[in-house]
């Protein structure tokens, strides 16, 4: 076929995307001091970057207002105000004019000076603003450098190309503008891949992206079935893919007929089919795809989206909104699971040799109890407004569960004293370490349910880093060791009356749906866009044969 430039990669979600290519540039690129001659033009550049920054911030404010409530959204207003600060503006313009330097350098210097000044202040509130000065200055620098950050993508939807995207970067993106993700690194179970599935858009990893400056802005096609990226496709290729895209849409349309139908096999075996979410905004997708509940709310994304610890009120409002929108359907909130690939700056965590096996998830929560209690209070308060369950990540011992229960008892006693209403919620744990699998008989006595996190369980069982692109080929999601573990957990859970589900990516693998049903799973929680496909699969199975 024609003279197409084709780059190959591994697909992490099928589908076809056709659109302009946009290269994501990391925000923390170094700022160089460059001598300029036209200082007026440089001041003008600064002014127009500031204007764009303000537009971005007001967009972020609106978005945060809807997703995480007013208290959390306020920070974006504060940032807009900082941009109008006279001293700051004067410092930048003077530096450009007097020292004849580029705007990026002037902003970076002003940022350093002002943030140091704030950091040295007596007042705690003012001291904390030092980080905001840096943040808002980095935004301007990114705009000056032409980096894409959220709404700077422009009005057009694009195919986003990047070396890699960390969860803290994807939360900033205006996702309605992204048609597809294409990354050089990343892996099948990285959170960018999970995000692509939630968004129901094709995504490729392991694409050898070179000379990105040359392809930036060109027209492209992502074939999420074959794992290919076409740059400047010829007419023939383009029309072939436009046709495929139309067919995809028709298939999607047919799946819609499964809405409202039961998840039942031909011989009458039923299973709950829930969906995974990372933010309040994802609930729309859950409802659109007719999931029976939310099987995993990755609550850490509230922390990733925030510039500082989300308050109890902000969290309460997010959980309550989800519970209310789900209108009587179950919502399983997983408590904070940060660390490893999900880093949050304001937690100020030390660099670790081996973060996947490090200070993360429940380990942080049991160590920094005040953070954990704030979240538990918010969840319990929200429980009054719907059907909420709580589950805990990365459990390795019965002792941890007992400690968690003690903290829950403290939280409930506090709420009782304060007269705040809550319900007694179901308590579950994630089974995502081999240790938890092996003692699942003991753990089952302590909880109401198990949800298996196959993403982490596979990485810890096979000793294969789920983030390492080099190991993609040997990462075998169907490894017999993992499948045997799944069966053991179901049996041990059922013996003690626990229900057992899967919330890792494997739950959506339709080549295993029959195996899961035969093992006796009670629930599968999958990315919203896969709910109807898994339902279709279930309805075609006959387990009596
Ligand atoms: C898992 O590990 O399978 C899981 C569902 O959690 P996460 O992907 O967020 O680590
Ligand atoms: Mg996990």
């Amino acid at each position: 076929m024609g003279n197409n430039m084709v780059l190959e990669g591994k697909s992490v979600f099928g589908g076809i995307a056709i659109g302009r290519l946009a290269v994501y540039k990391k925000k923390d690129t170094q700022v160089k001091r460059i001598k300029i001659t036209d200082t007026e033009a440089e001041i003008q550049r600064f002014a127009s970057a500031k204007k764009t920054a303000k537009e971005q911030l007001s967009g972020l404010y609106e978005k945060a207002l809807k997703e995480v409530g007013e208290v959390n959204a306020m920070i974006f207003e504060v940032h807009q105000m900082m941009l109008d600060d006279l001293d700051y503006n004067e410092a930048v313009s003077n530096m450009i004019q007097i020292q004849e330097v580029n705007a990026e350098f002037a902003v970076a210097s002003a940022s350093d000076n002002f943030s140091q000044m704030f950091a040295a202040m007596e007042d705690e509130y003012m001291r904390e603003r030092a980080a905001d000065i840096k943040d808002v200055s980095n935004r301007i620098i990114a705009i000056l450098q032409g980096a894409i950050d959220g709404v700077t993508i422009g009005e057009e939807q694009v195919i986003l190309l990047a070396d890699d995207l960390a969860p803290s970067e994807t939360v900033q993106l205006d996702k309605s503008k992204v048609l597809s993700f294409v990354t050089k690194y990343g892996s099948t179970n990285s959170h960018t891949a999970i995000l692509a599935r939630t968004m129901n858009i094709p995504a490729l990893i392991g694409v050898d992206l070179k000379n990105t400056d040359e392809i930036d802005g060109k027209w492209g096609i992502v074939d999420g079935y074959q794992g290919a990226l076409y740059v400047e496709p010829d007419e023939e290729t383009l029309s072939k893919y436009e046709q495929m895209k139309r067919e995809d849409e028709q298939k999607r349309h047919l799946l819609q007929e499964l809405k409202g139908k039961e998840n039942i096999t031909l011989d009458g075996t039923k299973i709950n089919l829930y969906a995974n979410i990372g933010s309040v905004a994802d609930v729309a997708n859950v409802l659109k795809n007719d999931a029976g509940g939310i099987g995993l709310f990755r609550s850490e994304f509230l922390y990733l989206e925030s510039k500082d610890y989300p308050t109890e009120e902000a969290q309460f409002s997010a959980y309550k909104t989800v519970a209310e929108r789900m209108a009587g359907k179950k919502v399983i909130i997983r408590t904070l699971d940060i660390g490893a690939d999900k880093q949050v700056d304001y937690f100020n965590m030390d660099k670790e040799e081996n973060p996947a096996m490090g200070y993360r998830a429940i380990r942080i929560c049991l160590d920094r109890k005040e953070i954990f209690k704030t979240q538990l209070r918010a969840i319990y308060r929200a429980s009054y407004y719907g059907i909420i369950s709580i589950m805990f990540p990365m459990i390795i011992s019965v002792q941890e569960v007992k400690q968690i229960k003690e903290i829950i008892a403290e939280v409930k006693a506090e709420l009782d004293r304060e007269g705040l209403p809550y319900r007694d919620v179901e308590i579950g744990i994630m089974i995502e370490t081999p240790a938890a699998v092996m003692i699942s008989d003991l753990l089952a006595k302590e909880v109401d349910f198990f949800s298996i996190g196959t993403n982490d369980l596979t990485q810890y069982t096979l000793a294969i880093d789920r983030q390492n692109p080099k190991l993609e080929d040997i990462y075998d999601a169907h490894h017999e060791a993992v499948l045997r573990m799944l069966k053991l957990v179901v049996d041990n859970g059922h013996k003690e009356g626990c229900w057992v589900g899967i919330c890792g990516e494997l739950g959506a693998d339709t080549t295993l749906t029959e195996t899961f049903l035969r093992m006796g799973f009670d629930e599968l929680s999958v990315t919203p866009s896969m709910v109807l496909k898994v339902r279709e699969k279930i309805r075609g199975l006959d387990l009596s044969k």
Side-chain angles (χ1 to χ4, degrees), residues 433-454:
T433 63
V437 173
M438 297 315 291
I439 58 164
S440 49
D441 54 336
L442 305 176
L443 291 167
K445 294 187 204 303
E446 301 290 331
V447 295
D448 302 310
F449 68 94
F450 286 155
S451 186
I452 306 183
T454 50

Side-chain angles (χ1 to χ4, degrees), residues 191-258:
H191 284 90
T192 307
I194 294 174
L195 176 68
R197 289 182 207 118
T198 310
M199 291 168 65
N200 201 8
I201 57 174
L204 309 179
I205 56 171
V207 179
D208 191 12
L209 295 171
K210 277 188 259 173
N211 307 330
T212 44
D213 283 346
E214 276 167 37
I215 60 177
D216 199 7
K218 296 215 160 117
W219 204 248
I221 298 174
V222 174
D223 177 345
Y225 300 111
Q226 304 293 328
L229 168 70
Y230 291 80
V231 181
E232 291 201 299
D234 57 30
E235 277 301 316
E236 191 190 342
T237 311
L238 195 60
S239 68
K240 176 186 126 184
Y241 276 104
E242 274 166 350
Q243 173 65 19
M244 268 172 86
K245 198 159 171 276
R246 275 193 294 275
E247 284 167 12
D248 260 12
E249 272 152 22
Q250 274 162 9
K251 272 190 218 144
R252 223 173 268 182
H253 206 71
L254 276 178
L255 276 181
Q256 298 302 310
E257 289 173 10
L258 289 173

Side-chain angles (χ1 to χ4, degrees), residues 337-464:
D337 181 24
I338 56 156
D341 60 319
K342 289 178 272 192
Q343 291 293 336
V344 185
D345 290 346
Y346 54 85
F347 272 75
N348 288 322
M349 297 204 287
D350 295 334
K351 215 160 176 60
E352 293 177 300
E353 280 293 312
N354 210 341
M357 295 189 185
Y359 187 63
R360 58 173 297 198
I362 200 69
R363 299 167 187 182
I364 299 178
C365 290
L366 291 177
D367 183 43
R368 297 179 65 180
K369 239 171 87 178
E370 68 300 343
I371 296 177
F372 195 33
K373 273 178 98 172
T374 303
Q375 178 169 39
L376 287 173
R377 280 180 59 99
I379 299 177
Y380 268 95
R381 284 176 56 199
S383 71
Y384 189 68
Y385 301 88
I387 306 297
I388 285 181
S389 303
I390 312 183
M391 69 176 171
F392 302 94
M394 292 296 298
I395 295 295
I396 57 166
S397 73
V398 172
Q399 185 51 31
E400 283 168 338
V401 181
K402 290 203 164 136
Q403 245 179 298
I404 291 168
K405 284 177 159 176
E406 276 168 27
I407 298 173
I408 289 178
E410 283 172 33
V411 164
K412 284 185 181 172
E414 277 176 26
L415 296 177
D416 285 336
R417 273 199 301 278
E418 293 163 36
L420 292 168
Y422 62 87
R423 283 188 224 271
D424 253 333
V425 305
E426 231 184 6
I427 303 284
I429 54 172
M430 291 195 63
I431 302 284
E432 48 186 348
T433 63
V437 173
M438 297 315 291
I439 58 164
S440 49
D441 54 336
L442 305 176
L443 291 167
K445 294 187 204 303
E446 301 290 331
V447 295
D448 302 310
F449 68 94
F450 286 155
S451 186
I452 306 183
T454 50
N455 308 337
D456 278 315
L457 183 59
T458 309
Q459 94 164 332
Y460 296 128
T461 303
L462 304 184
I464 293 181

